Amino acid sequence: MDPDASVTPDQPPVFNYILSFLLVGVAWGFTTPFIRRAAADFNARQEQHSQSQPQAPAPQEPVSDEQELQQTNGDNTDHESETPGEDEDHPLPAASAANTHTQQPAWMRPSNSGWLRTKITTLFWTVINLLRTPAYSIPLIINLTGSVWFFLLVGQHELSLTVPLANSSAFLFTVLGEWYVERKVIEKETWLGMVLVLGGIAICVKSKT
């Protein structure tokens, strides 16, 4: 008789198995309300900062006495040269007609080549400033760490149990995270759903042990 045949591989306790996926659920679900709250606060600060910087009007150059005199003389000569029916006898100059054709709405004009570059640059620095915010970056890192830990656990346990256990626990901790961060009241139907989810997790674990 082969002595190696009677040796069974050591399996980790069920408690460690459940605890591992509960930690994944915490990393996925409990950090999501923190990320959303930090993103909302960041957008509010950006809007407040943009509204607190009014556009300064363009400075006007002072008009000298000679320019005022020339303008008044030009206005007088224009009024003297005007006669009834002048608009009917003399057509508009070619330059003014060309200007009327060139004045088009902004949406009909060809797009500027620097518009896309400006949008990309703005998006890039927005993401950088958001990642530099600890209230956003720390929960995000924990969330991504949970994803890495999940893929490591999937290779060691059955897929039919790991996926429902991790996703169900993430739902539970998301509800608890909203209550903790936003002080959101948990309804009775939500409590009932959480109890049913816990019961389903217990049945799945019991069937696999």
Side-chain angles (χ1 to χ4, degrees):
M1 182 177 180
D2 190 1
D4 296 335
S6 61
V7 178
T8 58
D10 296 334
Q11 295 182 355
V14 180
F15 177 77
N16 294 342
Y17 177 75
I18 298 175
L19 181 61
S20 300
F21 285 98
L22 287 179
L23 292 177
V24 173
V26 171
W28 280 357
F30 198 76
T31 57
T32 303
F34 287 92
I35 296 174
R36 184 177 62 182
R37 179 66 178 273
D41 293 342
F42 179 80
N43 292 332
R45 289 195 302 269
Q46 290 291 104
E47 293 179 359
Q48 184 179 4
H49 180 70
S50 61
Q51 292 177 0
S52 63
Q53 292 181 351
Q55 295 181 356
Q60 298 180 355
E61 297 180 357
V63 181
S64 60
D65 296 337
E66 295 179 357
Q67 292 178 353
E68 291 181 356
L69 182 60
Q70 292 177 359
Q71 290 178 359
T72 54
N73 293 334
D75 294 338
N76 294 332
T77 54
D78 291 340
H79 287 296
E80 292 176 357
S81 62
E82 289 180 354
T83 56
E86 182 181 0
D87 294 338
E88 298 179 357
D89 297 337
H90 301 282
L92 293 173
S96 60
N99 291 333
T100 57
H101 289 291
T102 55
Q103 293 178 355
Q104 297 179 352
W107 61 273
M108 295 180 61
R109 297 174 185 173
S111 59
N112 191 4
S113 59
W115 177 83
L116 181 60
R117 181 183 301 174
T118 303
K119 290 295 182 181
I120 294 176
T121 304
T122 304
L123 179 61
F124 173 77
W125 285 112
T126 301
V127 173
I128 293 298
N129 293 331
L130 189 59
L131 293 177
R132 292 172 60 184
T133 306
Y136 183 88
S137 59
I138 293 176
L140 180 62
I141 293 174
I142 297 175
N143 193 295
L144 297 177
T145 304
S147 300
V148 175
W149 182 245
F150 171 77
F151 283 108
L152 293 177
L153 292 175
V154 164
Q156 300 177 1
H157 303 283
E158 294 185 14
L159 188 63
S160 60
L161 183 60
T162 56
V163 175
L165 186 59
N167 292 333
S168 301
S169 60
F171 163 74
L172 297 177
F173 287 108
T174 299
V175 175
L176 296 177
E178 287 183 345
W179 168 79
Y180 181 78
V181 175
E182 302 178 1
R183 301 301 178 186
K184 185 177 181 180
V185 178
I186 302 177
E187 302 293 337
K188 296 180 180 180
E189 294 80 2
T190 305
W191 281 113
L192 179 60
M194 294 171 65
V195 171
L196 294 177
V197 168
L198 290 175
I201 292 174
I203 293 175
C204 290
V205 174
K206 182 64 177 178
S207 63
K208 297 297 182 180
T209 55

